[in-house]
Amino acid sequence: MGLTITYFAWVRERMGTAEEKVDVPVGVTDVGALVAWLTARDARGALAFAEPQRIRVAIDGVMLGLGAPLAGAREVALFPPVTGG
Amino acid sequence: MIRVLVQPDVLDVAAEFDLHDAGGPGASASFIGRVRGEGGLVELFLEHHPVLTGAGLVDLAHAASDRWGLAAVTLIHRVGAMAPGETIVLVLASSSHRGEALAATEYLIDRLKTDVMLWKRETFADGRTQWVEPREGDDGRAERWG
């Protein structure tokens, strides 16, 4: 399954990129598993997702939780808690 | 009238007040957020999502307008680099009476802190940079609106 992942703020800095396209491995069916896979993939992922409880998620523009399923998703955004205003 | 902007340009508060008040409702409340220059801060950078940030602000403006029956809402957030003292966010809400306008203004700025995709990065005079963490209490203030 091809998927676009976008990163923001310090997640973007630690990943070293704002966006990438990935082939999601079989068995990675929700955002939590995706984050675990990115964490195990390389040192950048390990740094960016060292504290998964601080990661927020939007799938195709909708804010969701780490348990959200990936089925049908085109773009997953991963980012820290927001600090607007 | 609902007016929502996400912009890198300097925010002209007086001009926005004039635009907002064109309809002449009875009560108008405002919130102006400025960049604090504490601790040797030289720059505040606002990162946003090119699509979701604007959409989130529009949703918020409509939610407030519906909830309090507002005559007008203006919601403007700057993005990009700004200096201490500059205006970062402007919230204006107007209604027939003050209660609705004041409540809607507070709701909008509380929700902005937790619901809209914006991130702040501080740069200090010694070259240090850090991403701003959510303040304790931001979630609580946002959640009390239900």
Side-chain angles (χ1 to χ4, degrees), chain B residues 67-86:
Chain B
R67 182 164 173 171
W68 285 281
L70 302 176
V73 178
T74 296
L75 205 47
I76 304 176
H77 212 298
R78 281 193 65 193
V79 293
M82 54 203 89
E86 290 189 46

Side-chain angles (χ1 to χ4, degrees), chain B residues 48-128:
Chain B
H48 72 296
H49 186 291
V51 176
L52 296 183
T53 305
L57 289 173
V58 169
D59 286 350
L60 265 188
H62 280 283
S65 184
D66 292 349
R67 182 164 173 171
W68 285 281
L70 302 176
V73 178
T74 296
L75 205 47
I76 304 176
H77 212 298
R78 281 193 65 193
V79 293
M82 54 203 89
E86 290 189 46
T87 298
I88 177 172
V89 60
L90 175 67
V91 178
L92 305 174
S94 294
S95 61
S96 298
H97 302 284
R98 70 182 182 282
E100 290 79 8
L102 287 164
T105 301
E106 197 171 13
Y107 165 88
L108 285 164
I109 194 63
D110 281 352
R111 285 286 187 182
L112 247 160
K113 289 279 187 184
T114 58
D115 293 14
V116 180
M117 293 181 64
L118 291 158
W119 299 269
K120 289 175 178 162
R121 188 189 63 206
E122 298 171 324
T123 301
F124 298 93
D126 60 7
R128 207 161 34 90

